[in-house]
Amino acid sequence: MARQTVGNGAGGNNLDTSRRRFLGSSGLAALGAAVGGTLPLWRGGLGMPQAHAQAAPPAAPGPAKGPQYLKYPGKHEGLVVLGEKPLVAETPEGLLDDDTTPIEKFYIRNNGQIPEETKEPDAWKITIDGEVNNKIEITLGELKSKYKAVTRRMVLECGGNGRSGFSPPARGNQWTNGGAGCAEWTGVPLADLLKKSGLKPTAKYTAHYAADLHLSGDPDKPSLSRGVRIEKAMDPNTMIVWAMNGQPLPNIHGGPVRLIVPGWAGSASQKWLTRITIRDREHDGPGMTEFSYRTAIKPMVPGGKADPANFRIVESMPVRSIITNPANGAKFAAGTKELKLRGASWAGDLTVKQVDLSTDFGASWQRATLQKPKNRYDWQRWTATIKLPTDGYFEIWARATDSKGVMQPHQAGFWNPQGYGGNAMHRIAVLVG
Ligand SMILES: Nc1nc2c(c(=O)[nH]1)N[C@H]1C(S)=C(S)[C@@H](COP(=O)(O)O)O[C@H]1N2
Ligand SMILES: [Mo]
């Protein structure tokens, strides 16, 4: 594995992430359970089943299972597999330490089969139809030559990021905070094509279609087909992109061409894009209905019966901050009194106003130095120096506050069956001596 040695310049501690982590996989699991656990608020209170009063889901019988690491061409072997069919892998927070997430470290989320890589990317066809006056059929080659390309660094984040914080567990991939990355995307604002297509006054919503087959292999079933309100589609930051970090968009990330709908659940950012149909109403493709990418309007009882009428679509993602250095479980020499920290934060359609850190379980907080985003929808990197009074075990907690003053909670709240909106603050453990 490519190990980094991170120097912080004069006076900085040398955080060598290759140093043995004191938490083995079972230790990490235990930490995860401890910090992801829910206070037993329900015990005896609302007639909840006893299982919901437990701090953590019961451990699987047998030896503790460590994370399964990804083996995929061009991908970093530190990525953790959350599902094999379809292939889903997340990036541990400690691997998100680059200002621009390298392709090899970028998370992977598929709902269906991964299509074979096209041999002729420039011949790839995209259609825009539906509530438009002029249907567009354009190849990627024409798109590149006829429209003005722009490059923006923007966060892509899975709608389920943070889901593992829910208790009782919510259905779906158990993302920690690693269903996110921030890359340089090159392409054309979708709005440029939509203007050309002449939207009808009835144009309300987009419907995205792609070339990946449903897991069953049935060609008539899209694996995923989401859409957004026309206002978001017309936002100049919503783009059709063909390059990532200056490279042709890799097949696994939707190459040769995909959508990037920044700030909103990643599922709107259709990979292997073939068609956008403009609709006169909210789209109802797979991933749009019932509890998919939806949260409860009126807060529901965790684990209780959900009523689809009480659900609305997740649009902007919630505020989040991660500690990217040191990594969870890092060990430092006895007598280490100071640690330099680095991290990242972002807040969907909003910006981050403030990041705070605690080394005493939230009793006191100190402000991090927050950097400005490069452009809208870029993440905001932060740095901080913390003091550790003694040797021993410390947890470092990080919480961000968005530009509207909303702060990350201690616990993933507002439970919903498929676990969206989980943005409990990030916590790591370090051991000194
Ligand atoms: N065609 C297609 N596009 C898709 C998906 C998919 O399964 N098929 N998954 C979506 C989801 S849920 C997410 S979070 C992002 C993940 O993009 P990545 O794999 O490039 O990280 O792609 C979105 N676009
Ligand atoms: Mo996702």
Side-chain angles (χ1 to χ4, degrees):
M1 192 194 303
R3 301 286 187 182
Q4 296 167 278
T5 301
V6 182
N8 283 303
N13 49 292
N14 268 327
L15 305 183
D16 178 352
T17 56
S18 72
R19 234 172 283 175
R20 194 176 61 82
R21 305 265 166 79
F22 70 92
L23 295 166
S25 57
S26 57
L28 280 168
L31 175 69
V35 299
T38 293
L39 297 169
L41 293 176
W42 297 108
R43 194 168 287 145
L46 293 171
M48 294 298 293
Q50 188 53 32
H52 297 154
Q54 294 175 356
K65 223 173 108 213
Q68 185 197 334
Y69 291 104
L70 181 69
K71 284 201 185 70
Y72 195 88
K75 283 295 178 180
H76 195 282
E77 57 197 72
L79 265 56
V80 174
V81 176
L82 300 183
E84 283 179 293
K85 253 185 178 172
L87 182 64
V88 180
E90 78 166 330
T91 317
E93 294 91 343
L95 281 182
L96 289 170
D97 198 36
D98 306 87
D99 289 352
T100 304
T101 309
I103 290 171
E104 63 156 3
K105 294 179 187 167
F106 209 94
Y107 82 98
I108 297 172
R109 165 64 164 128
N110 298 296
N111 287 267
Q113 299 183 17
I114 302 165
E116 239 173 72
E117 187 171 340
T118 176
K119 297 211 169 54
E120 290 180 273
D122 283 349
W124 187 275
K125 279 205 196 86
I126 300 163
T127 302
I128 295 179
D129 61 6
E131 303 297 312
V132 297
N133 290 312
N134 322 299
K135 173 178 173 181
I136 294 180
E137 281 185 306
I138 191 169
T139 65
L140 178 54
E142 289 164 346
L143 187 67
K144 288 177 185 168
S145 64
K146 291 187 179 157
Y147 287 80
K148 190 174 172 291
V150 289
T151 298
R152 293 199 179 99
R153 195 168 78 186
M154 302 192 287
V155 172
L156 179 67
E157 179 174 27
C158 184
N161 205 22
R163 180 179 289 136
S164 63
F166 283 104
S167 178
R171 206 157 60 225
N173 297 296
Q174 295 300 304
W175 302 100
T176 60
N177 290 294
C182 190
E184 301 262 3
W185 307 103
T186 301
V188 170
L190 174 60
D192 292 359
L193 280 108
L194 294 183
K195 281 177 203 153
K196 193 125 202 171
S197 75
L199 291 176
K200 291 184 177 168
T202 46
K204 290 266 152 48
Y205 225 89
T206 60
H208 311 153
Y209 296 96
D212 52 330
L213 281 181
H214 189 266
L215 269 191
S216 66
D218 181 345
D220 296 326
K221 270 197 206 162
S223 75
L224 177 77
S225 175
R226 300 206 61 234
V228 295
R229 278 188 287 119
I230 205 74
E231 295 77 18
K232 182 67 175 178
M234 292 297 284
D235 183 299
N237 299 288
T238 295
M239 292 167 65
I240 297 189
V241 307
W242 58 77
M244 183 177 185
N245 297 348
Q247 306 290 314
L249 185 65
N251 186 57
I252 189 67
H253 292 299
V257 63
R258 74 176 300 169
L259 277 174
I260 292 292
V261 183
W264 288 25
S267 50
S269 296
Q270 197 85 23
K271 307 200 277 188
W272 310 290
L273 181 71
T274 54
R275 177 185 299 266
I276 299 175
T277 300
I278 308 300
R279 302 198 57 177
D280 62 0
R281 67 197 68 179
E282 191 174 284
H283 182 43
D284 54 0
M288 290 301 295
T289 55
E290 205 178 36
F291 307 122
S292 296
Y293 301 100
R294 283 172 186 258
T295 49
I297 297 162
K298 204 169 59 180
M300 61 174 288
V301 176
K305 193 169 166 8
D307 170 11
N310 182 39
F311 278 70
R312 69 158 162 253
I313 294 176
V314 174
E315 295 190 331
S316 177
M317 293 290 291
V319 61
R320 192 182 308 276
S321 173
I322 54 174
I323 300 160
T324 62
N325 198 307
N328 184 27
K331 204 179 166 191
F332 298 94
T336 302
K337 285 278 181 281
E338 200 179 272
L339 288 182
K340 290 207 187 289
L341 311 181
R342 278 197 301 273
S345 57
W346 60 94
D349 281 338
L350 304 177
T351 54
V352 174
K353 182 165 81 177
Q354 185 179 321
V355 172
D356 300 298
L357 296 153
S358 179
T359 51
D360 54 10
F361 306 91
S364 66
W365 295 87
Q366 84 173 64
R367 190 81 62 94
T369 305
L370 188 60
Q371 287 166 25
K372 290 215 158 30
K374 254 183 133 174
N375 48 254
R376 204 165 162 226
Y377 293 109
D378 186 17
W379 61 14
Q380 287 164 261
R381 308 289 314 183
W382 57 260
T383 55
T385 304
I386 54 160
K387 297 242 187 302
L388 299 171
T390 60
D391 286 4
Y393 172 95
F394 291 92
E395 287 184 21
I396 305 168
W397 296 8
R399 69 172 189 207
T401 306
D402 71 24
S403 46
K404 285 192 174 158
V406 176
M407 190 183 276
Q408 285 181 265
H410 287 74
Q411 292 283 150
F414 299 103
W415 193 95
N416 56 93
Q418 293 191 205
Y420 302 108
N423 68 334
M425 58 185 70
H426 184 209
R427 308 174 183 188
I428 64 165
V430 297
L431 189 61
V432 179

